[in-house]
Short mmCIF file of all heavy atoms in Angstrom, two decimals:
data_model
loop_
_atom_site.label_atom_id
_atom_site.label_comp_id
_atom_site.label_asym_id
_atom_site.label_seq_id
_atom_site.Cartn_x
_atom_site.Cartn_y
_atom_site.Cartn_z
N TYR L 612 94.31 82.89 75.38
CA TYR L 612 93.65 84.19 75.00
C TYR L 612 92.61 83.95 74.01
O TYR L 612 92.92 83.82 72.87
CB TYR L 612 94.75 85.24 74.56
CG TYR L 612 94.16 86.57 74.12
CD1 TYR L 612 93.72 87.49 75.00
CD2 TYR L 612 94.31 86.83 72.77
CE1 TYR L 612 93.29 88.66 74.51
CE2 TYR L 612 93.79 88.06 72.27
CZ TYR L 612 93.36 88.98 73.19
OH TYR L 612 92.87 90.24 72.68
N ARG L 613 91.35 83.94 74.39
CA ARG L 613 90.43 83.30 73.52
C ARG L 613 90.00 84.30 72.32
O ARG L 613 89.21 83.88 71.50
CB ARG L 613 89.16 83.00 74.27
CG ARG L 613 88.36 84.11 74.87
CD ARG L 613 87.24 83.49 75.76
NE ARG L 613 86.47 84.56 76.54
CZ ARG L 613 85.32 84.86 76.14
NH1 ARG L 613 84.70 84.31 75.10
NH2 ARG L 613 84.63 85.86 76.86
N TYR L 614 90.50 85.50 72.29
CA TYR L 614 90.28 86.43 71.12
C TYR L 614 91.47 86.46 70.28
O TYR L 614 91.52 87.29 69.36
CB TYR L 614 90.03 87.87 71.70
CG TYR L 614 88.90 87.80 72.72
CD1 TYR L 614 89.16 87.89 74.10
CD2 TYR L 614 87.48 87.80 72.30
CE1 TYR L 614 88.07 87.87 75.02
CE2 TYR L 614 86.51 87.79 73.22
CZ TYR L 614 86.72 87.75 74.54
OH TYR L 614 85.80 87.82 75.47
N ILE L 862 87.64 98.81 78.56
CA ILE L 862 88.02 97.36 78.99
C ILE L 862 89.19 97.02 77.89
O ILE L 862 88.86 96.63 76.86
CB ILE L 862 86.89 96.39 78.87
CG1 ILE L 862 85.70 96.91 79.64
CG2 ILE L 862 87.29 95.06 79.19
CD1 ILE L 862 85.90 96.89 81.18
N GLN L 863 90.39 97.24 78.33
CA GLN L 863 91.57 97.01 77.41
C GLN L 863 91.95 95.44 77.54
O GLN L 863 92.32 94.97 78.62
CB GLN L 863 92.73 97.89 77.89
CG GLN L 863 93.95 97.76 77.02
CD GLN L 863 94.91 96.77 77.44
OE1 GLN L 863 95.03 95.67 77.01
NE2 GLN L 863 95.76 97.07 78.44
N ASN L 864 91.76 94.80 76.37
CA ASN L 864 92.10 93.37 76.43
C ASN L 864 92.86 93.02 75.17
O ASN L 864 92.60 91.98 74.49
CB ASN L 864 90.64 92.62 76.48
CG ASN L 864 90.97 91.17 76.52
OD1 ASN L 864 91.94 90.64 77.17
ND2 ASN L 864 89.98 90.37 76.00
N ILE L 892 93.65 94.71 81.12
CA ILE L 892 93.94 93.27 81.29
C ILE L 892 95.03 92.73 80.38
O ILE L 892 95.85 92.00 80.77
CB ILE L 892 92.64 92.41 81.02
CG1 ILE L 892 91.53 92.82 82.00
CG2 ILE L 892 92.97 90.96 81.06
CD1 ILE L 892 91.64 92.25 83.40
N MET L 919 96.00 94.42 85.56
CA MET L 919 96.28 93.09 85.90
C MET L 919 97.39 92.62 84.86
O MET L 919 97.20 92.63 83.69
CB MET L 919 95.07 92.15 85.71
CG MET L 919 95.30 90.73 86.24
SD MET L 919 93.77 89.85 86.30
CE MET L 919 94.28 88.44 87.25
N TYR L 1049 79.37 94.26 81.30
CA TYR L 1049 80.78 94.40 81.23
C TYR L 1049 81.45 93.86 82.56
O TYR L 1049 82.56 93.35 82.57
CB TYR L 1049 81.13 95.92 81.05
CG TYR L 1049 80.76 96.30 79.65
CD1 TYR L 1049 79.46 96.87 79.48
CD2 TYR L 1049 81.60 96.13 78.59
CE1 TYR L 1049 78.97 97.28 78.20
CE2 TYR L 1049 81.14 96.55 77.35
CZ TYR L 1049 79.88 97.12 77.17
OH TYR L 1049 79.48 97.48 75.88
N ALA L 1050 80.78 94.03 83.68
CA ALA L 1050 81.30 93.44 84.92
C ALA L 1050 81.48 91.86 84.81
O ALA L 1050 82.39 91.27 85.27
CB ALA L 1050 80.39 93.78 86.06
N VAL L 1051 80.40 91.35 84.22
CA VAL L 1051 80.41 89.82 84.02
C VAL L 1051 81.57 89.37 83.03
O VAL L 1051 82.34 88.53 83.35
CB VAL L 1051 79.10 89.30 83.43
CG1 VAL L 1051 79.18 87.93 82.93
CG2 VAL L 1051 77.96 89.46 84.38
N GLU L 1052 81.79 90.25 81.99
CA GLU L 1052 82.84 89.99 81.04
C GLU L 1052 84.22 90.14 81.71
O GLU L 1052 85.05 89.32 81.52
CB GLU L 1052 82.80 90.89 79.85
CG GLU L 1052 83.88 90.75 78.79
CD GLU L 1052 83.85 89.39 78.13
OE1 GLU L 1052 82.90 88.69 78.29
OE2 GLU L 1052 84.78 89.12 77.34
N LEU L 1053 84.39 91.20 82.55
CA LEU L 1053 85.58 91.41 83.26
C LEU L 1053 85.93 90.26 84.22
O LEU L 1053 87.06 89.75 84.25
CB LEU L 1053 85.57 92.73 83.91
CG LEU L 1053 86.98 93.18 84.52
CD1 LEU L 1053 87.99 93.33 83.45
CD2 LEU L 1053 86.77 94.53 85.23
N ASN L 1054 84.86 89.81 84.84
CA ASN L 1054 85.05 88.64 85.79
C ASN L 1054 85.57 87.38 84.99
O ASN L 1054 86.34 86.68 85.37
CB ASN L 1054 83.71 88.21 86.39
CG ASN L 1054 83.60 88.84 87.79
OD1 ASN L 1054 84.61 88.94 88.45
ND2 ASN L 1054 82.45 89.22 88.27
N ARG L 1055 84.97 87.20 83.74
CA ARG L 1055 85.35 86.10 83.00
C ARG L 1055 86.87 86.11 82.50
O ARG L 1055 87.61 85.21 82.46
CB ARG L 1055 84.46 85.97 81.81
CG ARG L 1055 84.47 84.60 81.15
CD ARG L 1055 83.31 84.27 80.28
NE ARG L 1055 82.87 85.52 79.46
CZ ARG L 1055 81.73 85.55 78.68
NH1 ARG L 1055 81.00 84.52 78.74
NH2 ARG L 1055 81.55 86.62 77.90
N LEU L 1056 87.22 87.38 82.11
CA LEU L 1056 88.57 87.67 81.72
C LEU L 1056 89.52 87.34 82.83
O LEU L 1056 90.65 86.78 82.66
CB LEU L 1056 88.73 89.07 81.16
CG LEU L 1056 88.03 89.38 79.92
CD1 LEU L 1056 88.10 90.88 79.58
CD2 LEU L 1056 88.52 88.59 78.72
N ILE L 1057 89.21 87.75 84.01
CA ILE L 1057 90.06 87.58 85.21
C ILE L 1057 90.21 86.05 85.48
O ILE L 1057 91.35 85.61 85.75
CB ILE L 1057 89.50 88.31 86.45
CG1 ILE L 1057 89.74 89.79 86.19
CG2 ILE L 1057 90.18 87.80 87.69
CD1 ILE L 1057 89.01 90.67 87.16
N GLU L 1058 89.06 85.34 85.29
CA GLU L 1058 89.11 83.91 85.61
C GLU L 1058 90.09 83.18 84.54
O GLU L 1058 90.94 82.39 84.93
CB GLU L 1058 87.78 83.25 85.41
CG GLU L 1058 86.91 83.58 86.64
CD GLU L 1058 85.44 83.09 86.37
OE1 GLU L 1058 85.23 82.46 85.36
OE2 GLU L 1058 84.61 83.39 87.28
N LEU L 1059 90.08 83.70 83.32
CA LEU L 1059 90.98 83.19 82.29
C LEU L 1059 92.39 83.52 82.60
O LEU L 1059 93.26 82.65 82.43
CB LEU L 1059 90.58 83.72 80.87
CG LEU L 1059 89.37 83.24 80.23
CD1 LEU L 1059 88.96 83.98 79.10
CD2 LEU L 1059 89.51 81.66 79.87
N GLN L 1060 92.66 84.71 83.06
CA GLN L 1060 94.03 85.06 83.47
C GLN L 1060 94.59 84.27 84.65
O GLN L 1060 95.72 84.00 84.71
CB GLN L 1060 94.06 86.54 83.79
CG GLN L 1060 93.97 87.50 82.53
CD GLN L 1060 95.30 88.02 82.25
OE1 GLN L 1060 96.26 88.15 83.13
NE2 GLN L 1060 95.49 88.51 81.04
N MET L 1061 93.62 83.91 85.53
CA MET L 1061 94.03 83.23 86.77
C MET L 1061 94.40 81.82 86.56
O MET L 1061 94.97 81.22 87.49
CB MET L 1061 92.88 83.44 87.84
CG MET L 1061 92.68 84.82 88.32
SD MET L 1061 94.13 85.56 89.06
CE MET L 1061 94.36 84.50 90.50
N GLU L 1062 93.94 81.33 85.43
CA GLU L 1062 94.28 79.90 85.19
C GLU L 1062 95.69 79.60 85.18
O GLU L 1062 96.50 80.18 84.46
CB GLU L 1062 93.69 79.41 83.79
CG GLU L 1062 92.21 79.26 83.71
CD GLU L 1062 91.67 78.11 84.36
OE1 GLU L 1062 92.38 77.18 84.58
OE2 GLU L 1062 90.45 78.18 84.75
#
Side-chain angles (χ1 to χ4, degrees):
Y612 174 74
R613 66 191 177 103
Y614 304 100
I862 305 295
Q863 184 269 100
N864 185 29
I892 297 286
M919 186 171 193
Y1049 292 90
V1051 169
E1052 178 65 10
L1053 189 59
N1054 261 326
R1055 194 159 48 185
L1056 293 172
I1057 289 169
E1058 287 172 4
L1059 287 169
Q1060 283 259 339
M1061 293 299 297
E1062 291 285 341

